[in-house]
Amino acid sequence: DAKTTQPPSMDCAEGRAANLPCNHSTISGNEYVYWYRQIHSQGPQYIIHGLKNNETNEMASLIITEDRKSSTLILPHATLRDTAVYYCIVRAYGGNKLVFGAGTILRVKS
Amino acid sequence: EAGVAQSPRYKIIEKRQSVAFWCNPISGHATLYWYQQILGQGPKLLIQFQNNGVVDDSQLPKDRFSAERLKGVDSTLKIQPAKLEDSAVYLCASSLVQGIADEKLFFGSGTQLSVL
């Protein structure tokens, strides 16, 4: 599975959009981009995933560049409860392992 | 819907002792995973079950770690004997169907193990 690169940490003001980047320049055509987050003292939580089209759900939006080499997770109105570690993962359709990197620590500040 | 249940929540043992963790996945979920998360790192997969069969245990230190899922439902992970470097959070996750694009893993809150 392709590796991803994320910034180690980011800050965001409460109520503003949080844009979390992820680089996956070696992604293959059959690999999906997944986002999970982990709030302190909890297990990771699924957020969203996509292949090449932009995706939106009740939690977030996922924007994937046309060449699929990078993506951005957008939390449209960040709250203090969104403070967490955010993991960007690429995995092939039908792939077994979900391989977590170090992720991005997002701190939402009032 | 009940989530993934894990126990105990915390465990403190001395090195060379044994310890066991228990996980009850979401009802109906065929796939069960055990992850190890060392402080400051992302979770690392230890073992994956599909029903009661092992799909992937390539990163399980088999000289000291063992896991079972006897009836395809709940699972136990055992460490015997424990080493200092086993101090970590042990996370259990489950999913309805493995290997599809829409597979979503649901995680428990984990067991925090401290080996002294």
Side-chain angles (χ1 to χ4, degrees):
Chain A
D1 293 336
K3 292 185 178 179
T4 62
T5 303
Q6 298 179 254
S9 65
M10 293 181 63
D11 290 339
C12 177
E14 188 178 20
R16 305 296 293 268
N19 297 289
L20 292 93
C22 180
N23 183 288
H24 32 77
S25 58
T26 60
I27 193 170
S28 300
N30 66 341
E31 289 182 315
Y32 285 71
V33 180
Y34 295 81
W35 284 84
Y36 281 74
R37 74 178 182 183
Q38 187 172 24
I39 295 170
H40 182 63
S41 296
Q42 297 182 21
Q45 174 193 24
Y46 167 85
I47 302 174
I48 198 166
H49 75 279
L51 182 62
K52 54 184 177 181
N53 297 322
N54 298 338
E55 302 288 345
T56 295
N57 63 20
E58 65 279 4
M59 291 183 68
S61 295
L62 174 60
I63 308 298
I64 303 174
T65 58
E66 192 169 342
D67 62 7
R68 302 209 324 120
K69 293 184 177 182
S70 65
S71 61
T72 300
L73 178 75
I74 300 173
L75 307 178
H77 305 287
T79 71
L80 298 178
R81 287 175 293 182
D82 292 321
T83 292
V85 179
Y86 287 77
Y87 298 100
C88 170
I89 303 163
V90 295
R91 189 184 71 163
Y93 172 77
N96 285 332
K97 294 180 184 179
L98 204 63
V99 179
F100 290 81
T104 295
I105 299 172
L106 174 69
R107 289 180 284 258
V108 180
K109 299 183 176 181
S110 58
Chain B
E1 178 183 81
V4 176
Q6 288 189 248
S7 67
R9 188 73 176 90
Y10 303 93
K11 190 71 177 180
I12 300 173
I13 61 172
E14 296 190 350
K15 59 182 179 183
R16 291 187 290 273
Q17 286 187 324
S18 62
V19 64
F21 313 125
W22 175 81
C23 172
N24 191 13
I26 293 173
S27 177
H29 280 198
T31 308
L32 185 146
Y33 305 80
W34 283 102
Y35 282 81
Q36 179 193 58
Q37 186 171 25
I38 293 172
L39 187 64
Q41 300 180 15
K44 182 184 82 171
L45 180 67
L46 292 176
I47 190 167
Q48 176 187 344
F49 292 94
Q50 181 73 15
N51 296 310
N52 60 351
V54 175
V55 174
D56 184 349
D57 64 356
S58 58
Q59 298 198 81
L60 187 73
K62 298 180 186 64
D63 58 334
R64 298 184 301 107
F65 286 64
S66 64
E68 60 183 12
R69 192 184 184 198
L70 290 177
K71 296 183 179 179
V73 181
D74 57 350
S75 175
T76 56
L77 176 69
K78 297 179 181 178
I79 308 174
Q80 182 179 8
K83 293 185 175 181
L84 296 177
E85 58 261 36
D86 298 332
S87 293
V89 176
Y90 291 84
L91 294 160
C92 179
S94 68
S95 67
L96 186 60
V97 179
Q98 178 267 330
I100 62 172
D102 288 335
E103 181 186 15
K104 300 171 187 175
L105 271 63
F106 294 84
F107 285 81
S109 295
T111 295
Q112 185 171 327
L113 174 66
S114 297
V115 182
L116 307 177

